[in-house]
Amino acid sequence: MIDLVPAELIPPVRSEYRKAVTLRYPQVLAGLALAVAVVAPAMSAYLAGPRDPQSDPVTGTATIGLYLALFAVIIGSAVFGAAGAAGEHQHDTLVITALFTVDRDRLAGAKFLVTGLAALATGLAVEIVAVLVMLLFGRDKFEFTGSLFAVLGGGLVAAVCWAVIGTGIGLLLRSPALAIGSVLGWMLLAEPLLWVVTAGIGIPGASTLLPGSATLSTVFSGSFTDSDLIAPAPAAIVVLLLWAVGIGAASWWSLRRAEL
């Protein structure tokens, strides 16, 4: 990693890495995601019937636990990013960091880089564990197809994007409780309510432009193709990336102009 990161970025990256691996809450979030990766795939693989090629999700009902594990990683990545970035403002550690990394661009870049890589690493670990558990409890109930690998890849993309979104929201709101509440409130309450509203007024397709809908499509690649709330996976990935880039850029600009 040192060879891939520019020399001027190494000190802030090292600082962000130490925060990520030594604080308790990232360890708890990663542990919870891994626990879900063991329990949920084991139950779905054990209880599932024979594989049905026409079922939703397209990877089979035995893999439902894998999706639950992926969503645990995505939610955990968003909370991790939001709590870490906002917590720096709350505890004034960002001021100390800025004394050693005067360039705000490097500071923001290191924060987004480490948060995204942490989400990627956790996602990979969760996927490996979940697939091994599915093989143990239901190896004849699913297959290693292109659809399964698309789901695994989509889960990693979504986890990284939501880590960036969470970090951006944390930098913008500067309060851990407000940032975490905003992320969870949007993902679990506000956006599903918007799905109902847009469907009720006859424009369900508008929901495909929202980040939660794009996340569902990115993870459930090739599934639920008849749903008006979910865009095709390639388009949904672009939508999710645009949300991550937009919120990340807004928070980056805010950090550059902020009085610390």
Side-chain angles (χ1 to χ4, degrees):
M1 177 176 165
I2 297 299
D3 296 333
L4 298 176
V5 178
E8 61 272 15
L9 262 182
I10 291 177
V13 166
R14 185 182 292 118
S15 174
E16 295 298 327
Y17 168 77
R18 287 173 176 168
K19 295 173 189 175
V21 299
T22 57
L23 294 176
R24 180 168 297 179
Y25 75 89
Q27 299 172 1
V28 172
L29 290 172
L32 289 175
L34 287 170
V36 175
V38 173
V39 175
M43 293 183 63
S44 67
Y46 180 76
L47 297 175
R51 184 175 180 273
D52 180 6
Q54 305 300 321
S55 68
D56 278 321
V58 294
T59 51
T61 56
T63 63
I64 289 176
L66 170 64
Y67 293 93
L68 295 176
L70 291 177
F71 285 118
V73 172
I74 292 168
I75 294 173
S77 297
V79 171
F80 166 60
E88 292 241 64
H89 281 289
Q90 183 184 46
H91 300 293
D92 291 330
T93 55
L94 195 59
V95 177
I96 299 174
T97 303
L99 291 176
F100 295 93
T101 306
V102 179
D103 191 319
R104 301 284 180 88
D105 292 335
R106 295 177 187 173
L107 178 59
K111 190 171 293 294
F112 282 115
L113 177 63
V114 172
T115 304
L117 288 177
L120 180 63
T122 304
L124 281 171
V126 164
E127 289 182 349
I128 291 171
V129 170
V131 170
L132 290 176
V133 170
M134 289 192 303
L135 285 172
L136 180 62
F137 288 92
R139 68 178 64 185
D140 298 327
K141 300 177 182 179
F142 75 99
E143 296 179 357
F144 286 95
T145 62
S147 296
L148 179 60
F149 286 106
V151 169
L152 296 175
L156 295 179
V157 170
V160 173
C161 285
W162 275 101
V164 172
I165 291 172
T167 301
I169 291 174
L171 289 174
L172 288 170
L173 298 183
R174 304 188 180 189
S175 165
L178 187 57
I180 294 172
S182 298
V183 168
L184 294 180
W186 177 265
M187 297 175 75
L188 304 178
L189 183 61
E191 186 169 333
L193 182 59
L194 284 176
W195 297 344
V196 175
V197 172
T198 55
I201 62 178
I203 53 170
S207 298
T208 61
L209 300 177
L210 299 175
S213 175
T215 302
L216 287 176
S217 181
T218 300
V219 176
F220 284 104
S221 180
S223 301
F224 308 106
T225 54
D226 295 333
S227 175
D228 294 329
L229 298 175
I230 299 179
I237 293 174
V238 174
V239 170
L240 186 57
L241 287 172
L242 288 175
W243 275 99
V245 170
I247 294 177
S251 63
W252 195 312
W253 179 252
S254 174
L255 180 61
R256 291 188 67 180
R257 297 173 62 86
E259 293 289 338
L260 300 180

